[in-house]
Amino acid sequence: MQPFFIPIISGRKLFLSITQPSSMPRYENRLSLQNINPSDVLAICYSSFQKLGWTIKYASKDKLVAYTPSPTFSKSMEVITTYAEGELIVSSEMINDELMDLKKKNQKNVEVFLAEFEQTKRSITAATIEANKQSIKQLTTETITAAEQEIKEIAELNEAMNLDKGSLTVTYAIIGINVLVFLIMGLQGAGVFEANGLVHLRWGSNYGPLTASGDWWRLLTATFLHFGIIHLALNMYALFSIAAYLEPMLGKLRYITAYLCCAILASLTSLWWHTEPVNSAGASGAVFGMYGVFLALLTTNLIPKKVRGALLQSIVIFVIYNLAYGIKGGIDNAAHIGGLVSGMLIGYLFAFIIKKEKKQQTASWVVPAVVLLSVFICGWYLQQNKTSAEERSALLFEIKNAGYPDTERFNELYNQFVALQDEAMRVYDEYSQNITGLPTLIQEKAMPKWDEAENIANRLQKLDVSDELKLKAVAVKKYIGLRKKEMELQVKIMQQPVNATVFIAEQELVRQDIEKELIKLK
């Protein structure tokens, strides 16, 4: 599962613009003013903004707020002028969630404005100053009205979503668990950038043959495992982005219920979709579930309409972008869709609860019902789609052995042994066409192959592998010796017909031992 396009749900508010700066990149400079009427300063600023072509948006008794143009491939910035105690304070700030101002655009804005202010101060007429004062007075009135409306909307939003009272305790706990698991897995070789899927399998990733043969808990544990630090960081950022709204609104019990239920249902959808098993892990199914919950809530009237439209647009863009991006290989889109759909269904149930609570009614049965239904669906599916015990045993054996340093080399050498065995045994096919030439075929073609295989068996016994593979190496060595003895007896049977009965009886005992070793190898 791959990086997310994170929706920008929040933006710069009018109330913040006229009261305090935010934490985005900002630059400020001050100009000491002498021999100038204080009441004229903002009027001069007004004309300076107009000459620069910057849009004047808000005003108060001592501030003017304007926005720079936003040409192609650039974004508007906010410039604020404040007159206080004989100083003109000019600040420029990026307002589109930028992290850094590498090109020092804010500083350039301030310098350009101050230069224009000096020129305007010398050339402005009294009539223009008076006209600007009237415009500022009108804009101040409009700003106050807009700010009051914004405060009212914020109050309505807080009442609907509990933003001022809620906390993100559960979200921080989820993020903390994911980070802690990632760090511990990293120490065990899971990989920081390039993932080691074997470690993930051991820790509980969602792998069909194991999940469907008894490891039902993988539906949940897979949600806390990640294939690399980028995978982890983007999933956690996506979760945090939505949690800032969702956890306060739902409350902790409903929030964690939605997260965990969406997690297991997303994993189940992945299990159902992939007919060829995939090693799946990551929180993205659960995260998509939380976006599905929020999407459902946004299609109701629980959230004020003005805010609802912008949020709904961001969520839809997020969902469409990530599902489209997930079409490429290596991304478990099935889990994304499963999480999204289950999240929406849970979201509508929770909307029902919230509406009941606003009417001073309760619907306490909904949360237990969501949990029980999710568990029932998962249990029923796993019961109907069990993996055989033989397949499970083979997988567990492979997983267990794969952790030793020489396991891969062991498998390579073992495959070479099998190839040599096939070549050595091929003499019997040729023997059917050349019965008298079998002794020669065995001595010239088969025995050299068994000698090569014996050298490989000696190398297998020296490798650092599991106890099971060490026993397998011993069985290979014994099997090769028995095959050589069997063929030596076959040569004696054909070359010494007088004693053939004795040799045939001995050969039969050898072949019984060969069958025993083959069982061990299998």
Side-chain angles (χ1 to χ4, degrees), residues 23 62 74-75 105 134 147 205 298 333 357 379 434 458 521:
S23 58
D62 58 356
S74 183
K75 294 180 179 179
K105 293 182 179 181
Q134 293 301 315
S205 58
L298 288 171
N333 236 3
E357 290 174 345
N434 184 13
N458 292 332
L521 292 177

Side-chain angles (χ1 to χ4, degrees), residues 35 91 148 204 210-211 247 257 297 325 338 429:
N35 302 320
S91 66
E148 290 174 347
L210 294 178
T211 307
E247 185 175 343
T257 298
L297 295 175
Y325 187 81
D429 295 332

Side-chain angles (χ1 to χ4, degrees), residues 309-320:
L311 291 171
L312 188 59
Q313 183 180 24
S314 292
I315 298 297
V316 170
I317 291 173
F318 166 84
V319 170
I320 292 175

Side-chain angles (χ1 to χ4, degrees), residues 49 213 331:
F49 281 135
S213 62
I331 299 175

Side-chain angles (χ1 to χ4, degrees), residues 317-443:
I317 291 173
F318 166 84
V319 170
I320 292 175
Y321 177 89
N322 283 283
L323 289 179
Y325 187 81
I327 294 174
K328 65 181 291 186
I331 299 175
D332 194 355
N333 236 3
H336 294 175
I337 295 172
L340 180 68
V341 173
S342 60
M344 290 188 68
L345 294 175
I346 292 171
Y348 283 120
L349 287 172
F350 286 173
F352 170 76
I353 297 178
I354 295 171
K355 288 180 180 179
K356 285 281 188 181
E357 290 174 345
K358 289 184 179 296
K359 298 177 181 178
Q360 304 301 315
Q361 300 174 356
T362 60
S364 56
W365 57 269
V366 174
V367 170
V370 168
V371 174
L372 291 174
L373 183 60
S374 300
V375 171
F376 172 78
I377 291 171
C378 293
W380 177 84
Y381 180 85
L382 294 177
Q383 187 67 26
Q384 299 299 315
N385 296 273
K386 286 185 177 180
T387 302
S388 67
E390 292 78 8
E391 185 176 358
R392 176 181 174 82
S393 297
L395 278 169
L396 291 176
F397 179 79
E398 184 177 347
I399 292 170
K400 180 179 180 180
N401 291 326
Y404 291 83
D406 293 336
T407 298
E408 187 174 349
R409 181 59 178 157
F410 185 98
N411 291 331
E412 291 175 1
L413 290 174
Y414 185 82
N415 289 335
Q416 292 178 27
F417 148 69
V418 172
L420 289 169
Q421 171 205 241
D422 292 343
E423 290 182 46
M425 297 300 291
R426 200 169 292 132
V427 297
Y428 286 117
D429 295 332
E430 297 181 33
Y431 159 71
S432 63
Q433 300 176 357
N434 184 13
I435 189 169
T436 59
L438 181 60
T440 302
L441 289 173
I442 289 175
Q443 291 170 347

